Amino acid sequence: MRTYTTSQLGRIVLIHLGKGERVLESVEAEVSRLGIKNGILLSAIGSLRKACLHFITNTDDTAVNRFITIERPIELSSAQGLIVDGVPHFHLTISEPDGMYAGHMEPCCEVQYLAELAILELKGISLTRRQDEYGISYIDTV
């Protein structure tokens, strides 16, 4: 187990995305523009016309992922995650006419009407991601 703490909070950033904008790519650009190194995605809701995600398909030491792309009306019910060293790592829950999905958000998720995200910036902590012996990334201090 690893635990990291800070009592220093920075800005709360609200992002509104409109029709055709890409969620992860837009967040990455805004995080870079604002100079956010570490943060928490507190909330994300909206509608999508394209969702790209992956999820694990096994329990062996080395993960095998299934990547899927859905292109039809999609509700973004929630997303949460961390920004570590300027890099977002988000998971999402979505629903569409044929079912519900949850998994790791990949680039190419595209907004249909709108998406609204809230990010809390964390200050006073220097974090990065490293890979363990199984190729899984974990949070560590710089």
Side-chain angles (χ1 to χ4, degrees), residues 65-117:
N65 295 301
R66 178 176 173 211
F67 290 80
I68 62 170
T69 299
I70 301 163
E71 294 188 69
R72 49 187 166 266
I74 304 160
E75 284 297 315
L76 172 58
S77 300
S78 68
Q80 56 280 325
L82 299 176
I83 298 164
V84 173
D85 200 18
V87 179
H89 176 203
F90 299 159
H91 285 237
L92 71 157
T93 302
I94 58 172
S95 63
E96 52 91 20
D98 293 329
M100 295 186 69
Y101 301 86
H104 178 98
M105 183 186 293
E106 291 290 334
C108 94
C109 293
E110 195 171 298
V111 175
Q112 175 56 36
Y113 298 115
L114 69 88
E116 298 172 335
L117 299 91

Side-chain angles (χ1 to χ4, degrees), residues 4-6 37-38 84-85 122-130 139-142:
Y4 311 95
T5 63
T6 183
K37 293 299 284 177
N38 300 295
V84 173
D85 200 18
L122 301 176
K123 297 288 210 172
I125 192 166
S126 294
L127 300 173
T128 191
R129 287 198 181 271
R130 303 189 196 287
I139 301 169
D140 201 3
T141 55
V142 175

Side-chain angles (χ1 to χ4, degrees), residues 28-76:
E28 288 170 339
E30 204 58 3
V31 161
S32 176
R33 184 185 75 79
L34 295 171
I36 296 173
K37 293 299 284 177
N38 300 295
I40 303 168
L41 177 61
L42 301 172
S43 174
I45 58 168
S47 60
L48 305 175
R49 60 185 176 199
K50 183 177 183 182
C52 302
L53 63 147
H54 82 262
F55 46 85
I56 62 170
T57 62
N58 70 333
T59 57
D60 297 335
D61 285 343
T62 303
V64 175
N65 295 301
R66 178 176 173 211
F67 290 80
I68 62 170
T69 299
I70 301 163
E71 294 188 69
R72 49 187 166 266
I74 304 160
E75 284 297 315
L76 172 58

